[in-house]
């Protein structure tokens, strides 16, 4: 690994990302529809491309007050593969497209800037539809670079198809570090002083113009929620651009820029206005071949004058842009810092509207048997209030408008694009007076910073309502359920909550309380008001009253079954079918998870809780819960106590074989969660992700849950994944051959025969085996719960009825 200086743009992006509320703010994603591709060849081709370019082996680190590029000699890249059958699309909620949802989450997964590579490639297939998703951080590549990467990927792919292992590339003529060194040298030796002075003079008195916002809000840190509107221009608009281009002897870009000036000026702005322009910043053949972050933002200025024709505006746009061309390499951040304060305030940290002409970028590369075609951007963050990207596609010109949803409604942005289209359509006629053009957009040079009265009223009312511990609990409730408001009497499950969210809710509230809450008490009436009451009582007493969850209230002196949580925790729904299947009068309780790292620690924790009352008549659980039940019985034997009968439902054997689970723990977690929310159709038919990129996998899971109508945040999924990983690690490290010789019921669904044999040796001759024709996750549910309940009753009483489901093996 070698360390190099960063380019000024890279350093600026690094600092912005640290302050941004959304860490995907500078992710670039290309979605390309593709045909059938050979995954092995594609994976090798992707590695060959990464080996060629330093940018794909670069990390950014901050040290001694500066940001540095750390370039690895080799960075292993993986091809992420996600595949679903068509039935998965059929199972999602109406209005959801599985490819869209997954691509959005792939895009949103943030990069750790300190770890290379800062790029990922995903092959996503739903039924017969497939797409290749290339995501990279803007600090290492720009749009021009993405095109070069796709071209090289296609070349390497076809080489790998013909002869595996043959994809190699010559060393690039220039690497991005060369550019970074030149830029830093220009800053140090004053080489940019004249260029910066030019920009300061040119931008004096210029103001940013934007559509009038639909909402006013205070300025926030970088990274606000955004959306993308894809707008195909009419053929008449394309004809207008062609006519303007022919008459003015210029590129289409000047026509689009002039049309934008016209719309912003006709909408109400007077005087010189600014439009940000994304430029490729490549002025030589060597620069054109460079993969890195060379793109720069420059400020184009324009105005409408009395008597102007559209051709006049286009001509000035052309001339002004060409005049600035030799100075477009200077990073905008340096220009902005050099401007007087009043000019900086008028312009803003970046121009309010940014225009970029991409041309045919993203299309026309033969990959497999089909040419690439760019799909809609999955971006959900706003870098600027409005960003307009123009793409020349085979059948139409398309404008992708990214916008700040905190400021603008979609209708406002749509109106802006429709106005642009109308102005461009007028370009087919020469000498059209600008005054004869009419637009519906209303524009301003001031983005309001005052909260409107309605927002003030809502804010004051909310603040008055949400004070102290009750207010915090109310906010946690609202955030967990993703509700706009939280009513005291609302029922958690009626409001859309599901089993996975119960422990997330309690985990968050218990952080406020500082001790465990009585979930058993709350489940009798799972409302917000009851949770607030429970929280206040626990805070007042300084301790929780119980350490278990009541699943079923029985009769005094009747049997008591106590169940232990499976891997990842449990809620009342996990064991509810079993509790309901037991005879009338039985009490059923459940132990929630603690924070112990080993199975022995977990067992001792649960035993300590049980010893606060009468020991149950039967104990055990499903999966990890069954294994913990065995360890509890073993610990009781070691202390000279007699353990109660055990119920073990498809538990892993204590032989350390589950350590292999760690290799596929993310896949297993995704499968477990989707089964828990009753969405088995969305379980991927194939899922191969980088094991180091857990956030990527959690993002895919969040997309699937969203498509299934379940809301669980990435943070909540991360907490649950950390819990289940802790449990799996404990299971994988645990080995025991110590018999407990206790009456027991072993339920086998997916247990291998060798595991059943081991359990028989540990539990003794009184073990009853119940074979169920179910997968691991259905074993504890109806209709199998009734058979398990019957076996538990027979085991406890020491008799077997004629219709007993099983005999001891």
């Amino acid at each position: 690994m070698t360390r190099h200086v960063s380019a000024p743009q890279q350093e600026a992006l690094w600092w912005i990302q640290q302050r941004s509320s959304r860490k995907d703010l500078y992710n670039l994603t290309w979605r390309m529809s593709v045909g059938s591709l050979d995954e092995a060849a594609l994976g090798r081709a992707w590695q060959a491309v990464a080996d060629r370019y330093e940018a794909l082996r670069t990390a950014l680190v901050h040290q001694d007050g500066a940001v540095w590029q750390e370039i690895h000699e080799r960075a292993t890249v993986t091809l992420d593969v996600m595949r679903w059958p068509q039935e998965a699309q059929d199972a999602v909620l109406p209005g959801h497209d599985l490819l869209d949802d997954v691509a959005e989450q792939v895009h949103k997964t943030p990069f750790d800037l300190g770890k290379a590579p800062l790029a990922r490639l995903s092959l996503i297939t739903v039924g017969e539809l497939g797409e290749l998703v290339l995501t990279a951080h803007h600090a290492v590549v720009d749009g021009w670079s993405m095109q070069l990467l796709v071209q090289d990927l296609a070349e390497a792919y076809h080489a790998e198809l013909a002869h595996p292992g043959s994809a190699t590339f010559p060393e690039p003529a220039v690497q991005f570090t060369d550019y970074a060194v030149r830029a830093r040298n220009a800053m140090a030796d004053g080489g940019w002083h004249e260029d910066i002075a030019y920009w300061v003079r040119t931008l004096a008195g210029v103001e940013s113009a934007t559509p009038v916002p639909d909402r006013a809000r205070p300025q926030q840190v970088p990274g606000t929620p955004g959306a993308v509107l894809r707008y195909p221009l009419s053929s008449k608009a394309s004809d207008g651009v062609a006519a303007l281009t022919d008459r003015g002897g210029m590129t289409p870009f000047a026509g689009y820029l002039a049309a934008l000036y016209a719309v912003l000026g006709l909408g109400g702005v007077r005087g010189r206005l600014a439009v940000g322009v994304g430029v490729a910043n490549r002025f030589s053949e060597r620069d054109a071949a460079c993969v890195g972050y060379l793109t720069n933002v420059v400020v184009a200025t324009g105005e409408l004058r009395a008597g102007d024709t559209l051709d006049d505006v286009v001509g000035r746009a052309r001339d002004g842009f060409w005049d600035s061309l030799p100075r477009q390499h200077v990073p905008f951040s340096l220009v902005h810092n050099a401007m007087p304060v009043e000019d900086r305030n008028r312009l803003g940290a970046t121009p309010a509207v940014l225009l970029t002409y991409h041309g045919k970028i993203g299309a026309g590369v033969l990959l497999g048997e089909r040419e690439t075609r760019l799909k809609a951007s999955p971006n959900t963050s706003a870098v600027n209030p409005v960003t307009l990207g123009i793409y020349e596609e085979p059948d139409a010109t398309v404008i992708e408008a990214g916008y700040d949803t905190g400021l603008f409604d979609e209708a406002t942005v749509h109106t802006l694009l429709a106005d642009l289209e109308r102005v461009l359509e007028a370009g087919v006629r020469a000498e059209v007076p600008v005054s004869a053009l009419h637009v519906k957009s209303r524009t301003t040079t001031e983005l309001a910073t005052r909260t409107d009265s309605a927002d003030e009223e809502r804010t004051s009312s909310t603040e008055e309502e949400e004070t102290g511990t009750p207010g915090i609990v109310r906010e946690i409730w609202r955030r967990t359920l993703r509700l706009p408001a939280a009513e005291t009497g609302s029922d958690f499950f009626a409001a859309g909550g599901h089993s996975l969210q119960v422990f997330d809710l309690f985990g968050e509230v218990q952080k406020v309380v500082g001790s465990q809450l009585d979930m058993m008490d709350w489940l009798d009436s799972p409302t917000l008001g009851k949770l607030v009451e429970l929280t206040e009582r626990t805070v007042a007493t300084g301790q929780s009253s119980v350490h278990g969850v009541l699943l079923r209230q029985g009769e005094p002196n009747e049997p008591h079954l106590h169940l232990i949580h499976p891997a990842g925790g449990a809620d009342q729904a996990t064991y509810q079918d079993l509790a309901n299947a037991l005879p009338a009068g039985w009490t059923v309780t459940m132990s929630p998870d603690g924070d112990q790292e080993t199975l022995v620690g977990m067992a001792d924790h649960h035993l300590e809780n049980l010893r606060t009352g009468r020991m149950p008549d039967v104990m055990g659980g499903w999966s990890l819960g069954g294994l913990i039940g065995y360890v509890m019985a073993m610990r009781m034997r070691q202390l000279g106590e007699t353990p109660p009968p055990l119920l073990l439902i498809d538990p892993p054997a204590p032989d350390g074989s589950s350590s292999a689970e760690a290799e596929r723990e993310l896949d297993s977690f995704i499968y477990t969660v989707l089964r828990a929310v009753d969405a088995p159709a969305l379980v991927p038919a194939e899922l191969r992700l980088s094991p180091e990129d857990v956030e990527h996998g959690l993002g895919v899971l969040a997309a699937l849950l969203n498509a299934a109508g379940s809301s669980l945040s990435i943070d909540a999924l991360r907490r649950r994944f950390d819990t289940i990983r802790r449990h799996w690690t404990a299971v994988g490290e645990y080995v025991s051959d110590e018999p407990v010789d206790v009456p027991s019921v072993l339920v086998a669904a997916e247990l291998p025969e060798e595991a059943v044999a081991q359990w028989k040796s540990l539990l003794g001759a009184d073990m009853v085996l119940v074979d169920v024709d179910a997968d691991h996750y259905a074993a504890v549910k109806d209709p199998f719960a009734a058979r398990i309940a019957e076996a538990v009753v027979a085991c406890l009483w020491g008799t077997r009825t004629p219709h007993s489901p099983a005999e001891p093996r």
Side-chain angles (χ1 to χ4, degrees), residues 426-445:
V428 296
R429 305 188 308 274
E431 304 301 319
V432 175
V434 174
S435 59
L437 303 175
H438 300 283
V439 300
K440 296 181 180 179
S441 297
R442 291 297 169 260
T443 58
T444 180
T445 57

Side-chain angles (χ1 to χ4, degrees), residues 228-509:
V228 173
L229 175 60
R230 193 170 170 86
Y231 189 98
L233 289 177
S234 68
S235 59
K236 291 182 179 179
S238 297
D239 292 343
V241 172
L244 288 169
T245 299
D246 290 342
R247 291 197 300 269
M250 58 193 176
T251 64
F253 170 73
Y256 292 114
L257 180 59
L260 184 55
Y261 286 149
V263 172
L264 294 174
L266 291 171
V269 172
R270 297 293 180 263
R272 297 176 65 223
L273 56 88
V275 170
V277 176
V279 295
N281 201 20
R282 288 165 162 87
F283 303 105
S284 68
E285 187 174 334
R286 281 168 53 88
D287 289 344
C290 182
V291 168
Y293 177 32
L294 274 70
T295 294
N296 193 22
V297 173
V298 301
V299 180
T301 64
E303 61 180 321
L304 301 186
R305 299 173 184 172
D308 268 347
T309 65
L310 186 56
D311 290 83
D312 293 332
V313 181
V314 172
R316 287 200 301 273
R318 174 200 61 202
D319 295 343
F321 199 74
W322 276 101
D323 183 58
S324 70
L325 193 63
R327 302 167 178 86
Q328 291 181 1
H329 54 275
V330 181
F332 177 73
S333 57
L334 299 182
V335 174
H336 191 264
N337 290 340
M339 294 170 64
V341 173
E342 58 272 18
D343 286 335
R344 288 207 304 265
N345 291 340
R346 279 191 290 263
L347 187 61
T350 58
V353 176
L354 182 70
L355 178 69
T356 301
Y357 181 70
H358 299 281
K360 295 181 180 180
I361 197 169
V365 177
L366 184 65
L367 188 58
E369 298 179 353
R370 290 174 54 178
E371 288 189 347
T372 59
R373 183 165 183 174
L374 216 55
K375 297 186 68 176
S377 169
N379 187 33
T380 59
S381 294
V383 179
N384 295 82
V386 178
T387 301
L388 306 178
I390 302 172
Y391 297 86
E392 301 291 354
E393 296 191 345
D395 50 0
T397 298
V398 174
I399 301 181
E400 278 198 353
Y403 60 97
D404 185 334
T405 54
L407 290 172
F408 301 107
D409 292 332
E410 179 179 323
T412 300
V413 180
H414 189 277
T415 298
L416 174 70
L417 297 174
D419 286 338
L420 270 173
E421 184 175 55
R422 277 191 291 271
V423 170
L424 290 170
E425 288 176 351
V428 296
R429 305 188 308 274
E431 304 301 319
V432 175
V434 174
S435 59
L437 303 175
H438 300 283
V439 300
K440 296 181 180 179
S441 297
R442 291 297 169 260
T443 58
T444 180
T445 57
E446 295 184 4
L447 283 177
T449 59
R450 180 185 59 82
T451 304
D452 63 31
S453 58
D455 284 342
E456 286 177 354
E457 183 178 339
R458 285 192 295 270
T459 302
S460 62
S461 136
T462 301
E463 289 177 349
E464 181 180 348
E465 203 174 65
E466 298 185 353
T467 57
T469 300
I472 297 173
V473 174
R474 184 181 300 275
E475 174 59 21
I476 293 172
W477 178 284
R478 187 198 64 75
R479 189 171 63 242
T480 301
L481 293 174
R482 294 190 179 180
L483 298 173
E487 300 296 331
T488 301
S490 62
D491 180 282
F492 183 81
F493 300 100
H498 57 71
S499 59
L500 284 176
Q501 293 172 310
V502 174
F503 277 88
D504 294 315
L505 172 70
F506 268 68
E508 288 294 305
V509 174

